[in-house]
Amino acid sequence: MRYSGNIFGSESYRGTGIRTVSGVTVTTTVLSLFSVAAAIYVVANFGELTAEIAIWTANFLSSGFPVLVVTVAVTYFVMRLRWKIRSHFWRW
């Protein structure tokens, strides 16, 4: 199992220590505890979190950055299309 590429396989090749608890089990347990704590925090502070998200979104949209991104993207695609048309015309 050591070189088979299976990350959930047996870890009996590890050195001395606790052999009954694998690294996968420890990682799963720790991440599960973090997820439960985050879920409790979201449920307890739902109103505050949604208000913060709404304020951040309003500030972001009013900053003009999305308009800049869309303008740059449209300009890029128009220039790319013009270059393709020009290069295909001369190869024809």
Side-chain angles (χ1 to χ4, degrees), residues 41-58:
Y41 179 77
V42 167
V43 169
N45 299 316
F46 186 74
E48 181 182 340
L49 288 174
T50 54
E52 287 180 15
I53 292 170
I55 291 169
W56 182 87
T57 304

Side-chain angles (χ1 to χ4, degrees), residues 1 5 8-11 14-15 20 25 27 29-31 34 44 47 51 55 57 74 76 78-80 83-84:
M1 268 300 186
F8 299 106
S10 172
E11 294 185 0
R14 292 188 305 147
T20 58
T25 304
T27 304
T29 304
V30 170
L31 292 178
F34 282 147
I55 291 169
T57 304
V74 168
Y76 170 75
V78 166
M79 295 302 288
R80 187 173 156 202
W83 179 256
K84 280 187 176 183

Side-chain angles (χ1 to χ4, degrees), residues 2 7-9 19 28 32 48 65-67 73:
R2 182 174 185 177
I7 63 170
F8 299 106
R19 293 176 186 260
T28 304
S32 296
E48 181 182 340
F65 184 71
V67 174

Side-chain angles (χ1 to χ4, degrees), residues 54-74:
I55 291 169
W56 182 87
T57 304
N59 288 336
F60 177 73
L61 292 176
S62 65
S63 69
F65 184 71
V67 174
L68 177 66
V69 169
V70 169
T71 304
V72 168
V74 168

